């Protein structure tokens, strides 16, 4: 079986050495990038299975990098920050980061977070089946793992796609915050409601005509979300 590959772009030398050693001990092949521009110039579908980056890269801001990368790639990203709120968890998630971890952290916590991100990808691939599901004017293509919105493909991250697919499995039914977090992010994220809010917000930006007045992704205040199928096709 092919070993997973991780690429690190971390500015602080000590943090870089520690993360590289931990990932190698965890079974990853690890490469180091000199900065965000190096990654952007080399990115392709086989570039890496995981990116671990700092909130500040040697040559550019971490959020700027993520925003640029997400225009062309859905590779999983874990962002490391010096302190919570320094770049902002919500800002990082809004940019397209899959998870956000603050220093100091334990090795167990780091691998729990990385493992949860990679399991999300693995479960999505495992569960993907041939065929398409239609919700209003949306077409969810399971085999290609993409969503067509009025004839155009929407670029979703693996987590966003998994969230949409899970909601689409039970259209017109309210699914609780906790259930969505557990099944999409993992049991350890059951209380991370802000992750879900950001995920829903990003999905609305990509599939709704008017994200401020959604017709597909409906909020049930204090309870959860529903993917509404009873809309004009």
């Amino acid at each position: 079986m092919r070993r997973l590959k991780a690429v690190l772009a971390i500015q602080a030398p000590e943090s870089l050495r520690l993360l590289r050693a931990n990932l190698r001990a965890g079974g990853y092949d690890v490469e180091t990038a000199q900065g965000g521009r190096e990654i952007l110039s080399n990115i392709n579908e086989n570039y890496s299975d995981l990116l671990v980056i700092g909130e500040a890269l040697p040559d550019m801001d971490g959020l700027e990098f993520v925003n640029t990368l997400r225009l062309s790639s859905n590779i999983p990203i874990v962002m490391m920050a010096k302190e919570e709120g320094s770049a902002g968890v919500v800002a990082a998630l809004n940019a397209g980061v899959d998870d956000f971890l603050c220093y100091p952290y334990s090795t167990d916590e780091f691998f729990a977070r990385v493992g949860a991100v990679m399991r999300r990808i693995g479960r999505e691939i495992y569960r993907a089946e041939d065929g398409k599901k239609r919700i209003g004017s949306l077409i969810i293509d399971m085999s290609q793992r993409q969503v067509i919105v009025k004839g155009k493909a929407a670029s979703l991250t693996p987590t966003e796609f998994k969230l949409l697919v899970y909601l689409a499995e039970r259209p017109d039914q309210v699914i609780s915050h906790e259930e969505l977090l557990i099944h999409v992010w993992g049991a350890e994220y059951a209380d991370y409601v802000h992750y879900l809010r950001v995920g829903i917000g990003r999905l609305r930006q990509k599939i709704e005509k008017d994200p401020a007045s959604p017709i597909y992704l409906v909020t049930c205040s204090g309870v959860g979300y529903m993917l509404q199928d009873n809309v004009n096709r």
Side-chain angles (χ1 to χ4, degrees):
M1 181 180 293
R2 181 180 69 88
R3 285 164 61 96
L4 294 176
K5 178 183 174 183
V7 171
L8 300 178
I10 302 292
Q11 193 166 12
E14 290 185 6
S15 298
L16 175 61
R17 285 194 294 270
L18 180 59
L19 287 165
R20 183 167 52 204
N22 284 336
L23 284 165
R24 284 175 174 166
Y28 284 80
D29 287 331
V30 182
E31 292 187 5
T32 301
Q34 296 303 309
R37 292 187 175 84
E38 177 185 329
I39 296 173
L40 293 171
S41 65
N42 290 290
I43 198 71
N44 60 57
E45 60 181 293
N46 298 315
Y47 177 71
S48 182
D49 298 291
L50 172 71
L51 293 180
V52 181
I53 67 170
E55 60 178 337
L57 302 176
D59 57 349
M60 62 192 306
D61 176 72
L63 294 181
E64 176 191 357
F65 165 77
V66 174
N67 279 313
T68 304
L69 180 70
R70 283 294 181 243
L71 296 175
S72 60
S73 174
N74 290 326
I75 185 172
I77 302 172
V78 174
M79 177 176 279
M80 311 297 294
K82 291 182 179 179
E83 58 184 47
E84 190 154 4
S86 53
V89 177
V90 172
L93 294 170
N94 271 323
V97 165
D98 293 274
D99 209 342
F100 186 96
L101 190 62
C102 299
Y103 300 107
Y105 63 88
S106 69
T107 301
D108 287 344
E109 182 183 10
F110 174 73
F111 276 113
R113 297 293 189 94
V114 169
V117 169
M118 302 311 291
R119 285 197 304 274
R120 290 202 293 272
I121 310 308
R123 283 201 298 266
E124 176 201 309
I125 294 170
Y126 176 77
R127 292 178 58 187
E129 300 171 353
D130 291 339
K132 300 176 181 179
K133 185 174 182 65
R134 188 178 180 95
I135 302 286
S137 62
L138 306 178
I139 299 174
I140 304 175
D141 189 331
M142 304 299 291
S143 61
Q144 296 298 317
R145 300 201 303 281
Q146 67 176 1
V147 178
I148 308 299
V149 183
K150 293 188 176 181
K152 297 183 179 180
S155 178
L156 304 187
T157 67
T159 300
E160 291 164 359
F161 185 79
K162 186 175 179 63
L163 176 58
L164 183 62
V165 167
Y166 194 78
L167 287 161
E169 289 174 352
R170 289 151 59 188
D172 298 320
Q173 295 183 35
V174 179
I175 303 178
S176 71
H177 299 140
E178 183 178 12
E179 180 178 346
L180 288 168
L181 285 162
I182 289 172
H183 282 84
V184 177
W185 279 266
E188 58 269 48
Y189 292 84
D191 297 324
Y192 285 56
V193 179
H194 56 291
Y195 275 46
L196 179 57
R197 289 183 184 136
V198 170
I200 291 290
R202 286 177 58 82
L203 269 178
R204 283 174 172 159
Q205 291 292 331
K206 296 177 180 182
I207 71 171
E208 299 279 5
K209 181 179 180 180
D210 180 3
S213 301
I215 60 173
Y216 292 110
L217 290 169
V218 179
T219 300
C220 299
S221 184
V223 179
Y225 296 94
M226 173 177 67
L227 183 63
Q228 192 165 252
D229 190 18
N230 186 25
V231 296
N232 293 330
R233 293 174 182 265

